[in-house]
C-alpha cells in the first residue's frame, strides 16, 4: 500500500514539475521574442536610411546589402512573434507590421519617386510604433548599460535616416527636429556610458573609438540642412555602430 501511494505521489510530483518546466520554457520563449522585437526599432530606421542611400547612388553596394539583411531579420523576428504571441492585440499589430514589410518589399522594386520615398518613411515609422507598442515600455527611460547601448544604436540610425532623407527633399521642420533630438539624446547617453567601469579592452577599444568619432560626427548630423557630406555620415554611422555592437556584446 505504501509503495502504491509513493508511486502516485511521485507521478503527481513529476507531472507538476514537468508542467512548471513547460510553463517556464514558454515564458522564456515569449521573453526572447519580445527582446527580438526591440531590434525592430533600430532596423526600422536602418531600412529607411539604406533605401535613400540606394536611390541616391551613394554607398549603394553597402546600402543594398544592409537593406537586404534588415528585411531578412525583420521577417525572421515577425515570424517568431507570430508563433509565440498569445495576445490578440499583439497578433493584430504583428499582422499590420507584416503588411508594412510587404509594402516595403514592393516599393524597393519600383522606380524611385517622391511619393514612394514618403511611403518608405511612413511604413518604417509604423514598424517603429508597432514594436514599441509590443514591447510596452518607454524606451527613453534606459536602465542598464545594455539598454543604453541599444538606444544609442537606434538614435544613430535615426539621425542618419533624417540626414539622408533631407538630402532627398524631405525637409519638413519635424524631420529636422527629430534629427536634432536624436543627436541630443545620444550625447547625453554617451556621457552616462563613460561612467561605467568597463575593462581596458572596452575602454581602449570600442569606447575609445566612439569618443573619437562622436564629437566630430554629431556636427555632421546637425548639418543636415546642407546635407553635403552623405558619405562621411554613412561611414561614421557604420564605425560607431560597430563600436556599439562590441560594447553591447560585452554587456549581454
Amino acid at each position: 500500500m505504501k509503495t502504491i501511494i509513493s508511486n502516485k505521489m511521485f507521478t503527481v510530483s513529476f507531472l507538476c514539475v514537468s508542467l512548471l518546466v513547460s510553463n517556464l520554457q514558454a515564458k522564456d520563449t515569449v521573453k526572447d521574442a519580445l527582446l527580438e522585437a526591440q531590434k525592430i526599432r533600430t532596423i526600422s530606421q536602418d531600412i529607411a536610411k539604406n533605401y535613400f542611400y540606394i536611390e541616391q547612388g551613394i554607398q549603394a553596394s553597402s546600402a543594398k546589402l544592409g537593406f537586404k539583411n534588415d528585411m531578412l531579420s525583420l521577417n525572421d523576428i515577425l515570424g517568431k512573434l507570430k508563433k509565440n504571441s498569445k495576445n490578440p492585440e499583439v497578433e493584430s499589430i504583428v499582422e499590420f507590421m507584416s503588411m508594412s514589410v510587404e509594402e516595403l518589399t514592393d516599393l524597393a522594386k519600383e522606380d524611385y519617386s517622391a511619393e514612394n520615398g514618403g511611403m518608405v518613411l511612413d511604413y518604417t515609422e509604423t514598424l517603429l510604433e508597432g514594436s514599441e507598442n509590443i514591447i510596452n515600455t518607454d524606451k527613453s527611460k534606459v536602465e542598464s548599460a545594455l539598454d543604453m547601448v541599444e538606444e544609442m544604436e537606434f538614435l544613430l540610425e535615426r539621425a542618419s535616416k533624417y540626414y539622408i532623407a533631407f538630402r532627398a527633399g524631405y525637409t519638413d521642420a519635424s524631420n529636422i527636429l527629430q534629427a536634432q533630438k536624436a543627436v541630443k539624446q545620444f550625447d547625453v547617453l554617451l556621457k552616462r556610458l563613460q561612467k561605467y567601469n568597463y575593462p581596458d579592452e572596452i575602454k581602449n577599444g570600442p569606447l575609445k573609438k566612439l569618443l573619437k568619432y562622436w564629437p566630430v560626427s554629431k556636427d555632421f548630423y546637425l548639418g543636415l540642412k546642407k546635407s553635403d557630406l552623405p558619405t562621411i555620415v554613412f561611414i561614421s554611422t557604420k564605425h560607431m555602430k560597430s563600436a556599439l555592437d562590441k560594447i553591447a556584446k560585452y554587456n549581454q
Side-chain angles (χ1 to χ4, degrees):
M1 181 64 68
K2 287 183 178 180
T3 302
I4 293 173
I5 293 174
S6 296
N7 287 339
K8 286 183 177 179
M9 290 178 66
F10 174 78
T11 301
V12 171
S13 297
F14 177 77
L15 289 172
C16 288
V17 171
S18 297
L19 182 61
L20 177 62
V21 170
S22 178
N23 286 336
L24 288 173
Q25 288 176 336
K27 288 180 180 179
D28 284 342
T29 301
V30 173
K31 182 181 178 182
D32 289 342
L34 290 176
L35 289 173
E36 287 289 302
Q38 293 188 42
K39 297 178 183 178
I40 296 177
R41 299 179 73 247
T42 301
I43 290 173
S44 69
Q45 306 305 292
D46 200 34
I47 285 173
K49 179 198 76 176
N50 285 322
Y51 175 82
F52 286 112
Y53 268 100
I54 293 168
E55 296 307 328
Q56 293 182 49
I58 303 168
Q59 293 292 310
S61 295
S62 295
K64 284 179 181 178
L65 180 60
F67 187 92
K68 178 182 177 181
N69 290 337
D70 283 338
M71 295 298 282
L72 288 172
S73 297
L74 195 51
N75 279 309
D76 181 57
I77 293 169
L78 291 175
K80 290 177 181 177
L81 288 171
K82 283 182 181 179
K83 180 180 178 181
N84 297 308
S85 176
K86 305 300 180 186
N87 184 322
E89 184 179 353
V90 170
E91 290 173 2
S92 295
I93 293 172
V94 171
E95 185 60 34
F96 188 84
M97 292 169 75
S98 296
M99 290 190 288
S100 295
V101 173
E102 290 175 6
E103 294 290 349
L104 285 167
T105 301
D106 291 339
L107 285 168
K109 297 174 184 176
E110 296 180 10
D111 291 337
Y112 177 77
S113 68
E115 182 181 0
N116 286 351
M119 290 173 71
V120 167
L121 288 173
D122 288 342
Y123 285 128
T124 51
E125 284 301 290
T126 63
L127 291 173
L128 172 61
E129 184 176 83
S131 64
E132 291 183 337
N133 193 287
I134 290 172
I135 298 164
N136 193 27
T137 185
D138 183 354
K139 290 303 294 181
S140 65
K141 297 178 181 178
V142 290
E143 297 177 357
S144 69
L146 182 58
D147 288 335
M148 195 178 302
V149 172
E150 289 177 344
E151 181 67 6
M152 289 170 75
E153 290 188 345
F154 163 75
L155 293 170
L156 266 185
E157 295 295 354
R158 192 160 177 80
S160 183
K161 175 192 79 172
Y162 283 120
Y163 181 96
I164 195 65
F166 190 97
R167 193 174 190 276
Y170 301 91
T171 58
D172 296 11
S174 60
N175 291 348
I176 298 172
L177 184 62
Q178 287 297 325
Q180 292 171 341
K181 183 179 178 182
V183 170
K184 184 178 180 180
Q185 289 177 326
F186 189 96
D187 220 12
V188 171
L189 292 180
L190 181 58
K191 289 174 183 175
R192 286 177 58 185
L193 193 68
Q194 287 179 259
K195 296 178 181 180
Y196 278 82
N197 188 26
Y198 284 114
D200 289 341
E201 62 184 278
I202 298 297
K203 285 181 180 178
N204 300 324
L207 185 55
K208 184 177 180 180
K209 178 180 281 190
L210 203 57
L211 293 170
K212 178 181 178 182
Y213 270 91
W214 179 246
V216 178
S217 299
K218 72 176 180 180
D219 289 333
F220 299 148
Y221 293 117
L222 291 173
L224 76 165
K225 287 186 179 181
K226 293 175 64 178
S227 297
D228 55 350
L229 298 169
T231 299
I232 289 178
V233 167
F234 188 93
I235 293 173
S236 321
T237 302
K238 184 177 179 180
H239 283 313
M240 287 189 287
K241 191 168 182 297
S242 174
L244 286 167
D245 283 340
K246 291 174 182 176
I247 298 172
K249 187 175 181 180
Y250 172 81
N251 286 321
Q252 287 175 343

